[in-house]
Amino acid sequence: MRTFPAGFVWGAATAAYQIEGAAKEDGRGQSIWDTFSATPGKVAGGDTGETATGHYHRYREDVALMRSLGLGAYRFSVAWPRVQPDGGGAVNPLGLGFYDRLVDELLAGDITPYVTLYHWDLPQALEDRGGWANRDTAYRFAEYAQAVHDKLGDRVREWTTLNEPWVAAFLGYGNGVHAPGRAEPADALRAAHHLLLAHGLGTKVLREAGAERIMLVINSAPVFTPAQVHDPAAPVSEADAEAVARIDALLTRQFLDPALRGSYPEELVAAHAPHVRDGDLELINQPIDLVGINYYNPTVVEAAPGTPADPAWPGSQGVRFCPVDGPATAMGWPIVPSGLSRLLVRLGRDYPEVGLMVTENGAAFDDTVEDGRVHDADRLDYLRTHLRAVHDAIGEGADVRGYLVWSLLDNFEWAEGYRKRFGIVHVDYGTLTRTPKDSALWYRDAVSANAV
Ligand code: FCB
């Protein structure tokens, strides 16, 4: 058994659009994901978040489920279009009321709410004015952050500004695989900068309002050459090292360097120069307490002269993204637990000024319910091996404060729709019945032992 430090936070994560449903209720405005998922060909199976898991109406049952698993923390996001249906100005009390009740229900169950302000569901009204490519959206975000803090700040201590700005910018505006579905790589870089600006302005607002702990959550991964995946000491050519550095800059340092140091990594200074204004980097560089890491698999690249740039990775010409041998999840994502320990140790070393938390980690597999049970041995093993990797990283000095499994429930997996199941709790989309999978029962035992 490997025991985690006292006070280690155990929990689960979700996001508003992926679970809530009730898309047209209580005055909720339209989000870019409503528009995108209603556009034929964008989401597998034509799925939308209109009903999702029905969490908006079943949140009490879901909190009871969390209690039965002994979770100490629940990371969820607030839907901006519920709070400001038109993306600005008047606040919709009915929309905020839902999160008010959810927070009370969590606290009554001794579960710490971790509130994420932006998990990708931008009000469509703001996209109509240019979305994240428009600098003004960052200022609208700060107003929205203020409105949510005004309502929940007396009870919520753990705040996250953004979830995975890389995905929002580069899949939303770079290759268009996510909402709003624009494929304009120059706008993707602009969007990334404005998301960072929103993080800085939002952090300032939250801090001035008295928020206790503030976190930025990024999707991060170690970037390896194919040989390094299984052998950290494998030799790397100069060309491959340069390819690795360029992708690492885009994925991780693009966000952590401005947020924690007030500068873009040298690889990206020129790319961002056209839209960075005087004072922006100071605004972005607000003190924060934690960096949240969403880890699923390593990114593997090598130098391959002549390869055109991938639209999700502006400036990646000459870099090939490589497959990884070995087991993979239903997403096709390679299973490399050691990647998580190597990532956490490296981030702890490079950014000693903040604590770390694993804010998402988990796996999709094709589950089936048999006699009221889901024997998801693959997911259970994924969680166990990744938690061991977190434990290893702590042993090597990384300041990792907690682990939040993705996800509590099967849910709307963005462009993949409902066919990819990440939950430790199964959702029957016909009846909305919840069934804890074997992985949930195993996780409950790990949580109660504070050990794996
Ligand atoms: C992350 C997202 C989360 C979920 C997982 C599988 O990129 O933050 O909403 O879709 O991937």
Side-chain angles (χ1 to χ4, degrees):
M1 285 291 255
R2 298 164 195 230
T3 302
F4 284 81
F8 189 77
V9 175
W10 296 84
T14 64
Y17 192 72
Q18 295 179 276
I19 63 164
E20 286 179 358
K24 300 201 172 95
E25 290 180 46
D26 291 341
R28 177 183 175 280
Q30 180 148 336
S31 83
I32 56 175
W33 272 96
D34 297 294
T35 311
F36 187 77
S37 61
T39 308
K42 297 296 186 191
V43 174
D47 293 345
T48 76
E50 182 134 11
T51 306
T53 73
H55 171 77
Y56 191 76
H57 294 295
R58 292 170 181 254
Y59 72 93
R60 285 202 177 85
E61 174 186 348
D62 291 336
V63 173
L65 206 50
M66 293 180 226
R67 290 182 73 166
S68 75
L69 299 176
L71 304 188
Y74 175 52
R75 171 177 180 252
F76 63 93
S77 75
V78 174
W80 188 347
R82 285 199 196 281
V83 178
Q84 291 179 306
D86 301 320
V91 168
N92 170 29
L94 289 177
L96 269 174
F98 169 67
Y99 302 103
D100 191 47
R101 295 191 296 279
L102 174 60
V103 163
D104 282 344
E105 191 74 13
L106 289 164
L107 292 173
D110 252 338
I111 299 168
T112 304
Y114 279 71
V115 173
T116 299
L117 289 168
Y118 188 71
H119 199 129
W120 308 352
D121 43 358
L122 187 73
Q124 180 62 39
L126 290 181
E127 177 57 27
D128 295 342
R129 283 178 251 147
W132 286 111
N134 178 358
R135 185 179 168 90
D136 185 59
T137 300
Y139 292 87
R140 301 285 76 75
F141 175 81
E143 272 179 25
Y144 155 67
Q146 180 77 60
V148 179
H149 193 278
D150 284 348
K151 185 72 182 175
L152 306 179
D154 57 338
R155 286 152 292 155
V156 171
R157 298 149 68 131
E158 308 285 346
W159 293 87
T160 294
T161 52
L162 310 176
N163 176 73
E164 300 191 358
W166 184 86
V167 172
F170 294 96
L171 301 190
Y173 297 81
N175 69 5
V177 166
H178 277 197
R182 285 163 56 180
E184 295 147 27
D187 269 357
L189 283 158
R190 228 188 305 280
H193 181 66
H194 296 150
L195 280 153
L196 278 162
L197 196 58
H199 161 74
L201 293 164
T203 297
K204 213 159 169 276
V205 158
L206 292 170
R207 194 69 80 190
E208 280 160 15
E212 198 167 310
R213 258 184 302 279
I214 301 175
M215 168 155 71
L216 171 64
V217 170
I218 62 167
N219 52 303
S220 190
V223 185
F224 295 141
T225 61
Q228 284 181 307
V229 176
H230 301 294
D231 175 10
V236 179
S237 72
E238 212 170 293
D240 283 347
E242 190 276 330
V244 163
R246 231 183 317 147
I247 299 306
D248 179 68
L250 281 162
L251 182 62
T252 298
R253 287 180 283 128
Q254 173 164 221
F255 300 96
L256 295 189
D257 284 12
L260 301 175
R261 308 259 166 83
S263 58
Y264 276 110
E266 59 175 75
E267 293 92 334
L268 292 172
V269 170
H272 279 294
H275 42 257
V276 176
R277 297 197 188 159
D278 278 356
D280 279 6
L281 284 154
E282 289 72 21
L283 272 175
I284 293 168
N285 179 207
Q286 301 294 321
I288 57 172
D289 307 280
L290 291 167
V291 166
I293 298 300
N294 296 349
Y295 171 81
Y296 292 93
N297 53 265
T299 299
V300 181
V301 301
E302 64 188 5
T307 309
D310 181 320
W313 303 88
S316 66
Q317 53 281 352
V319 177
R320 177 162 50 221
F321 289 82
C322 309
V324 174
D325 295 335
T329 70
M331 297 291 279
W333 295 350
I335 301 174
V336 186
S338 62
L340 179 54
S341 38
R342 289 160 73 182
L343 174 67
L344 292 168
V345 169
R346 173 259 170 134
L347 294 176
R349 189 193 61 216
D350 289 357
Y351 302 96
E353 58 270 55
V354 279
L356 300 171
M357 179 170 276
V358 177
T359 36
E360 285 182 27
N361 176 243
F365 288 105
D366 298 328
D367 304 309
T368 48
V369 186
E370 291 159 39
D371 300 329
R373 298 289 299 271
V374 179
H375 300 302
D376 60 338
D378 289 341
R379 181 176 297 99
L380 193 160
D381 196 56
Y382 183 99
L383 298 180
R384 181 177 20 223
T385 51
H386 283 77
L387 272 155
R388 283 188 188 150
V390 173
H391 191 272
D392 288 347
I394 294 171
E396 287 182 58
D399 178 13
V400 187
R401 311 279 177 85
Y403 177 94
L404 309 178
V405 64
W406 184 270
S407 180
L408 177 69
L409 303 169
D410 289 338
N411 61 50
F412 175 80
E413 178 44 38
W414 308 113
E416 298 293 335
Y418 294 101
R419 64 182 187 173
K420 300 295 182 207
R421 294 178 175 274
F422 273 91
I424 56 172
V425 175
H426 180 274
V427 176
D428 177 325
Y429 291 111
T431 61
L432 301 183
T433 302
R434 277 82 161 127
T435 306
K437 304 177 191 178
D438 287 356
S439 58
L441 306 178
W442 173 84
Y443 193 59
R444 174 195 64 196
D445 293 345
V447 172
S448 101
N450 193 35
V452 290

